[in-house]
Amino acid sequence: MSSLLQTPSTAPGRFGPYGGRYVPETLMVPLLELERAYEIAKNDPVFQKQFADLLKNFAGRPTPLQFAARLTEKLGGPRIYLKREDLLHTGAHKINNAIGQGLLAVKMGKPRIIAETGAGQHGVASAAIAAHLGLHCVVYMGTEDMARQALNVARMRMLGTEVVGVESGSRTLKDAINEAMRDWVTNIRNTHYLLGSVLGAHPYPTMVRDFHSVIGREAREQILLAEKRLPTHLFACVGGGSNAIGLFYNFLRDHDVKMVGIEAGGRGNGLGEHAVRLAAEQGFTGARPGVLQGTYTYVLQNEDGQIATTHSISAGLDYPAIGPEHAWLADQSRASYAAVSDDAALEAGSLLARTEGIIPALESAHALAGLQTRIPEMSKDDLVILNVSGRGDKDMDTYKRLL
Ligand SMILES: *Cc1c(COP(=O)(O)O)cnc(C)c1O
């Protein structure tokens, strides 16, 4: 690692050597403005009350922590609880963060929101909160993703959002983020960039994590009430990493709680066939530390440092970098990361549907498939919380076609 990067981990926006703020000068102004606004909002009881109120009455929190009796019996290992983020308004955890940043935009006096989206879930969440708060919203989306997620495009448009197709690069999430950044540079005065995961330059990875940490705060209370003890394992899928860190964060000090992030193993180990940034010991190639879209983290790249194309059956996991806090948790072995294939995720989605009556998002199905691979090393005394990050309605075409 270059000596330039040996910043103390206490520096704001740093997770060990990861994170930071690697942006063109023009973006420093809005990033510093956002950081200041967020610091004030964090300690502002009025802001926190508005946030809590919208989480409850607009999004539908708290979400249940449901004991999965038939899944537990079927897998024959640990007791399994499901954190039901799929029950939230707009269908996934993404609304937690969208509400937080929407309120911040209002606080900063910015009437216009831009966002990028892969699976379309973050676009829909942004569109919904923008409409609710009376903000103008523009969403950038790769045309490849627009085709895969046509229903979500229609939902955003019905909510009054302008959806802009991005034709450059691989026409997926990373290209949409580039376009959104370009828009932001030219419209910083009236525009807030509502970034959808724990990615990008400081303060985004910290701020987005904080907005999602309600997941783990609730889950901790709920499991203590139900089982009178902490879980032994947490499982969540990891695209950018926001639903996973949202669940993990309030358990980080509980050293007996093992945390497992599940990445998209796609259809093979070669570069371009998967979106595995951290689970390299499973033989996936191409990830090493680098800078992408404002943050220093593990990035899938070729030998020349060109960003690799990625593949996953699940648009929400199909991204070449990972949130910098996960890179740090992996380096420290505080969390572990593993990958499962497209096929394993499809099967797991079907399993959850038939045992529990829940059709999960393909992203969340990865988390269950990851849990299944660990069952042989677990016992009946183990206690698992599995984050069901979203519902499967958006993925029905894929399920129908491939199952
Ligand atoms: C977007 C999305 C993900 C992946 O994003 P993270 O930031 O890793 O949470 C996972 N599940 C669902 C349902 C999503 O919509």
Side-chain angles (χ1 to χ4, degrees), residues 156-394:
M156 285 183 263
R157 289 183 170 148
M158 180 159 178
L159 288 160
T161 279
E162 187 186 332
V163 182
V164 180
V166 177
E167 287 283 357
S168 55
S170 55
R171 288 175 261 143
T172 58
L173 183 60
K174 107 180 137 52
D175 314 291
I177 296 180
N178 285 337
E179 267 324 291
M181 283 197 178
R182 239 165 257 150
D183 179 317
W184 203 26
V185 171
T186 40
N187 298 295
I188 43 178
R189 213 169 298 226
N190 72 345
T191 298
H192 171 64
Y193 179 11
L194 208 171
L195 206 150
S197 191
V198 283
L199 296 163
H202 181 60
Y204 284 105
T206 304
M207 179 178 72
V208 176
R209 174 201 69 202
D210 291 351
F211 288 144
H212 281 301
S213 65
V214 64
I215 302 172
R217 234 173 13 251
E218 286 176 7
R220 201 172 191 288
E221 256 177 49
Q222 289 165 320
I223 197 80
L224 286 174
L225 198 66
E227 294 277 335
K228 313 280 178 284
R229 60 177 175 136
L230 288 173
T232 56
H233 296 75
L234 307 176
F235 281 82
C237 64
V238 186
S242 69
N243 85 89
I245 202 73
L247 176 65
F248 294 175
Y249 190 60
N250 274 275
F251 294 95
L252 282 178
R253 285 160 200 264
D254 303 309
H255 290 283
D256 292 335
V257 179
K258 297 187 179 70
M259 303 175 174
V260 189
I262 306 297
E263 302 180 271
R267 58 190 167 209
N269 285 1
L271 200 56
E273 301 290 302
H274 63 85
V276 179
R277 292 81 24 112
L278 293 177
E281 71 279 5
Q282 283 176 249
F284 293 92
T285 53
R288 54 178 201 280
V291 168
L292 182 63
Q293 289 165 338
T295 193
Y296 180 70
T297 183
Y298 278 78
V299 179
L300 283 163
Q301 50 191 302
N302 70 14
E303 281 163 18
D304 302 326
Q306 295 295 313
I307 305 306
T309 53
T310 50
H311 163 80
S312 171
I313 195 172
S314 163
L317 304 182
D318 202 349
Y319 183 71
I322 190 165
E325 192 164 10
H326 287 288
W328 181 229
L329 292 175
D331 272 15
Q332 291 184 303
S333 302
R334 178 60 192 96
S336 63
Y337 296 82
V340 298
S341 68
D342 285 352
D343 290 345
L346 278 168
E347 286 301 324
S350 171
L351 174 68
L352 194 66
R354 287 166 187 221
T355 52
E356 295 296 330
I358 298 166
I359 300 176
L362 271 167
E363 292 85 357
S364 322
H366 280 74
L368 174 55
L371 165 59
Q372 285 180 272
T373 65
R374 297 285 176 104
I375 293 288
E377 332 159 358
M378 298 170 93
S379 83
K380 285 193 191 299
D381 291 333
D382 283 328
L383 181 60
V384 169
I385 296 178
L386 176 78
N387 206 23
V388 184
S389 55
R391 67 182 81 134
D393 306 32
K394 70 183 174 62

Side-chain angles (χ1 to χ4, degrees), residues 92-125:
H93 68 289
K94 297 242 166 54
I95 193 76
N96 302 321
N97 169 51
I99 290 173
Q101 288 194 51
L103 284 173
L104 260 187
V106 172
K107 234 181 136 47
M108 290 186 292
K110 307 223 167 174
R112 181 173 180 268
I113 274 177
I114 56 172
E116 81 300 326
T117 196
Q121 289 302 109
H122 175 58
V124 171

